[in-house]
Amino acid sequence: MHRFALSRAGDAAMAIAAHARDPALAFIAGGTDLLGLMKDRAALPERLLDINGLPDMARIEAVPDGGLRIGALARMSDVAADVEVRRRFPVIAEALLFAASGQLRNMASIGGNILQRTRCPYFRDGDDLPCNKRRAGSGCAALRGLNRNHAIFGWSEACVATHASDVAVAFAALDAHVIVRGRSGERSIPFGDFHRLPGDTPQRDTALERGELIVAVEVPAQEAGRASHYLKVRDRQSYEFALVSAAAALATDGRRIRSARLALGGVAHKPWRLTAAETALRGASLDDVEALKSAIATSFADARPLAGNGFKVELARRVSLRALQSAGARA
Amino acid sequence: MRSRTRPIPKADVSAPLSVRLTVNGRPRTIAVEPRTTLLDALRDMLALSGTKKGCDRGECGACTVHIDGRRVLSCMTLAAMQEGRRITTIEGLEDGGRLHPVQAAFVEHDGFQCGFCTSGQIMSGVAMIEEAKAGWPSAATADVARSLTLADLSNAEIRERMSGNLCRCACYPNIVEAIAEAATGRR
Ligand SMILES: Cc1cc2nc3c(=O)[nH]c(=O)nc-3n(C[C@H](O)[C@H](O)[C@H](O)COP(=O)(O)OP(=O)(O)OC[C@H]3O[C@@H](n4cnc5c(N)ncnc54)[C@H](O)[C@@H]3O)c2cc1C
Ligand code: SF4
Ligand code: FES
Ligand code: FES
C-alpha cells in the first residue's frame, strides 16, 4: 500500500468538517473494501479518518411502529443475528448472511457495505486498464471485454458495471432510507435514489456528497416484511458475489398477492427494482405460476444483455419467480 | 510490464504511530506505520508467524485471528486501528501446554495436509462455535426467524459457516468432522 496518514474521529461534526475540506481524506469503517481498493491502487487517499469510535452509530433499533433503524457502524454479523431484524425482515438477515464470510461480516459495517465499489475486474486491476470509473475518459474495457458478470439493465457505453452489495438489494425492495449528516444538518435519501446509474459519470456511485457521513439506514414499517426472502445465485455455493439475486417481500390475502416488492442484484449499477412487475403482480394468485411469470416479464422489456451475459436475462426471471414463491411460503 | 500511470500520493504524515494492545494475554506497545496491516504487525513485528498470509485481499481466511473474541481477517484491518483491543492468534490458543479442543480435534481427524490454512481454519472454527452457541443463524439456516442452539449445527451448517476459510489441499471433509466433534461431540 502507498503511504498515508491515519487519525481517529472523536465526534461526527469534526469528522464531517475534515471530510468536507479535504478531498484526499477518506473515512474508514471496517476497512474491508477500502483497504482492498488501496492495495489494488483503485483508491489512493492520502489521509484516513477512522470513524469507528463515533458514538451512537452502531445501534440496531427496533422502532415501536414495526420499522428498524440500523446505525451505519453496525456490523453485518450483528444485524444478521439481531432477533428483531430476523423476525420483522427475514430478507435483510438473509441478504447479509449470503454475503462475504463470517470473518468479513464481523468487520464490515452497514454504511461501508452500501458504499462498496464494483467488483468489475478492470476497475480493480492494478495495471490501469481503460476504466472510466477509475479514471474518467479512459474508456470501458468491459464493454467489449469480459462482461459475463456485468449489467443487463441501465448501463451506458461509459460503464457496464454492477453494484455488488446484497443487503442493498433488500433495502431497495423495502423502500429504506439512507440517513446522511452533512455540515448543514441531516437529510434522508430514499434508497432508490441513493445509488446512481452510470450515465456519463460512472466515477460517481452514489448521491453522497463530499462532507457527508452516513449515520443510519432506516427501514419503514410495512405489511410486506415478514413474508420476505433473499435468493442469491452464484458460481460457487458460498463466499462469492452474486451472478443474480432477488429480494422479494409480500403482503397477501390468503394466496392472493395484495402487494409485492421485488428488487434484483447483480444486474445493474444499482439495486434494480421491478416496479412494472410489482404493479402486474397485484391481485395475482401465488399458485398461478403462469400469471407470476408474465407479471415478472413486464419488467424485462428493457433488458439489454452484453455479449457475455445473455444468460442473466432468463436467470433473473427465474430467480425473481423463485424468490416470490419462497416469500409466499412465509405468508 | 504495463506502466502504472497514476502517481503515488505523498502523504504529509506517515510517521509511526504508537499502539497499545493485548496480544495473547500480554500487553504490548508497538510503533507502526499507518499502512501496516494487523497481519504484517503480528508476523513481522511481534514474531507471531503462526498467522499466515495467503491472498492479502480478504479472499482466503488464512490470516484469521480474534479481535475481542470475534473472528476477523487480519490482512483487511490496520494495526494502528487496534488501540486497546485484545488480539488472540493461534499461538495463544493452547492453555498451559494443553491443546485447545479444536486443535486436538484437527490432529485427531487429520484436518490438514500442508498446514498452510490450518491456523486460520482453527481460529475461525473456535469463534464459529461461539457464534453458534450465541444462536447466530447462517445462510444454511432454513428459517432465520427461529432461535438456534448448538444442536442445530449440522455438517451443512458447519460447511457454510466455515466457507470463509479455503483449503488448497481440500481437507474439507476432515475439517468438518473435527469441528463437529469439538462443537457437539458428534463423530
Ligand atoms: C472476499 C470478499 C467477499 C465479499 N463478498 C461480498 C458479498 O458476497 N456480498 C456483499 O454484499 N459484500 C461482499 N463483500 C464486500 C463487503 O461486504 C464490504 O467490503 C463491506 O461491507 C464494506 O464495509 P466496511 O465497513 O469494511 O467498509 P470500508 O472499507 O471501511 O469503507 C467502504 C467505503 O465506505 C466509506 N464509508 C464507510 N462508512 C461510511 C459512513 N458511515 N459514511 C460515509 N462513508 C463511509 C469509506 O470511506 C469507503 O469509501 C466482500 C468483500 C470481500 C473482501
Ligand atoms: S464496466 Fe465500469 S468499472 Fe468496469 S471497466 Fe467499464 S467503466 Fe470500469
Ligand atoms: S490473507 Fe487474509 S484473507 Fe487471505
Ligand atoms: S492443509 Fe494445505 S491448504 Fe489447507
Side-chain angles (χ1 to χ4, degrees):
Chain A
M1 268 188 284
H2 65 281
R3 289 172 194 271
F4 54 84
L6 172 73
S7 51
R8 276 177 219 124
D11 78 85
M14 275 167 62
I16 290 162
H19 196 269
R21 67 171 174 262
D22 182 355
L25 180 142
F27 295 139
I28 182 166
T32 63
D33 194 42
L34 187 56
L35 294 179
L37 292 166
M38 288 165 64
K39 290 176 185 191
D40 292 334
R41 302 177 44 74
L44 296 167
E46 292 173 34
R47 281 164 293 281
L48 294 188
L49 188 57
D50 177 356
I51 58 173
N52 290 294
L54 293 182
D56 298 331
M57 270 178 51
R59 270 210 294 260
I60 306 162
E61 288 165 79
V63 182
D65 71 356
L68 287 176
R69 181 182 162 100
I70 304 173
L73 288 174
R75 267 35 196 187
M76 290 170 75
S77 54
D78 294 315
V79 179
D82 185 90
V83 173
E84 285 302 318
V85 173
R86 288 154 63 187
R87 203 173 58 82
R88 293 182 183 188
F89 299 103
V91 66
I92 295 176
E94 288 173 339
L96 289 165
L97 293 169
F98 277 85
S101 69
Q103 292 95 313
L104 284 161
R105 293 192 295 271
N106 277 338
M107 308 171 79
S109 67
I110 293 296
N113 184 285
I114 64 174
L115 288 174
Q116 68 176 285
R117 306 213 69 193
T118 185
R119 288 280 152 180
C120 171
Y122 301 108
F123 173 71
R124 290 185 184 248
D125 179 287
D127 281 334
D128 218 14
L129 292 169
C131 172
N132 290 322
K133 192 181 275 299
R134 203 180 51 215
R135 193 154 51 83
S138 64
C140 170
L143 184 63
R144 286 177 188 83
L146 297 173
N147 51 33
R148 177 174 177 270
N149 271 329
H150 291 68
I152 57 171
F153 290 111
W155 50 268
S156 69
E157 296 272 316
C159 178
V160 295
T162 58
H163 197 263
S165 165
D166 288 294
V167 75
V169 181
F171 287 150
L174 297 170
D175 282 321
H177 284 243
V178 184
I179 312 300
V180 164
R181 195 175 299 163
R183 274 170 303 174
S184 49
E186 272 189 17
R187 62 183 181 127
S188 167
I189 308 174
F191 212 85
D193 299 336
F194 185 72
H195 296 97
R196 300 176 67 252
L197 288 180
D200 294 333
T201 50
Q203 59 279 15
R204 284 198 63 189
D205 292 350
T206 69
L208 204 64
E209 303 281 353
R210 179 137 291 273
E212 287 189 318
L213 174 76
I214 301 178
V215 292
V217 173
E218 286 182 355
V219 185
Q222 52 203 288
E223 42 173 26
R226 220 175 268 232
S228 66
H229 182 61
Y230 189 72
L231 176 64
K232 180 173 177 182
V233 174
R234 37 191 168 174
D235 280 333
R236 60 181 182 196
Q237 197 182 346
S238 187
Y239 198 18
E240 186 55 272
F241 292 93
L243 280 173
V244 173
S245 65
L250 291 173
T252 55
D253 293 315
R255 295 293 289 164
R256 203 155 289 283
I257 295 174
R258 194 160 64 232
S259 72
R261 292 152 174 279
L262 195 53
L264 292 175
V267 298
H269 200 255
K270 59 189 286 185
W272 196 253
R273 190 82 182 259
L274 303 186
T275 37
E278 290 178 8
T279 309
L281 283 165
R282 228 170 273 151
S285 162
L286 278 164
D287 300 318
D288 185 348
V289 175
E290 290 312 313
L292 299 180
K293 280 187 186 168
S294 56
I296 289 166
T298 58
S299 277
F300 282 77
D302 51 352
R304 284 185 302 149
L306 301 160
N309 68 6
F311 73 96
K312 277 195 180 181
V313 177
E314 181 60 22
L315 183 58
R317 290 177 201 250
R318 293 184 187 205
V319 167
S320 303
L321 175 65
R322 178 88 71 86
L324 274 179
Q325 290 173 322
S326 302
R330 289 181 176 162
Chain B
M1 235 182 90
R2 281 164 295 186
S3 66
R4 295 175 183 273
T5 51
R6 279 167 325 135
I8 295 175
K10 281 191 205 61
D12 42 17
V13 234
S14 61
L17 301 170
S18 173
V19 185
R20 280 164 308 163
L21 66 181
T22 304
V23 182
N24 297 333
R26 274 180 63 194
R28 308 290 295 249
T29 303
I30 50 175
V32 291
E33 261 193 272
R35 63 176 168 172
T36 309
T37 61
L38 176 61
L39 173 60
D40 286 342
L42 289 170
R43 290 181 55 85
D44 300 340
M45 306 181 72
L46 295 169
L48 293 168
S49 56
T51 306
K52 302 302 182 203
K53 184 188 282 190
C55 64
D56 207 26
R57 290 293 186 286
E59 291 168 3
C60 76
C63 65
T64 304
V65 301
H66 300 172
I67 299 182
D68 294 337
R70 287 160 67 113
R71 54 175 171 162
V72 299
L73 301 177
S74 60
C75 73
M76 296 303 276
T77 188
L78 298 172
M81 290 169 68
Q82 310 309 324
E83 176 71 29
R85 302 273 176 211
R86 191 166 47 82
I87 316 288
T88 308
T89 69
I90 189 73
E91 290 90 345
L93 221 48
E94 51 95 33
D95 179 13
R98 266 206 324 278
L99 291 181
H100 185 282
V102 176
Q103 288 176 305
F106 267 66
V107 175
E108 169 83 5
H109 290 271
D110 211 5
F112 45 83
Q113 207 177 97
C114 77
F116 195 82
C117 72
T118 311
S119 42
Q121 300 278 0
I122 291 174
M123 295 310 288
S124 190
V126 169
M128 180 276 271
I129 293 170
E130 295 307 310
E131 292 168 5
K133 278 186 194 160
W136 288 17
S138 84
T141 308
D143 180 3
V144 291
R146 196 169 69 80
S147 60
L148 300 169
T149 67
L150 257 193
D152 295 301
L153 203 58
S154 63
N155 285 359
E157 281 277 3
I158 293 172
R159 277 196 296 274
E160 165 58 29
R161 289 165 192 258
M162 290 297 293
S163 71
N165 292 84
L166 305 188
C167 175
R168 295 308 286 168
C169 302
C171 300
Y172 298 113
N174 296 5
I175 292 170
V176 171
E177 278 177 26
I179 292 176
E181 182 181 349
T184 65
R186 181 173 76 236
R187 301 193 55 126

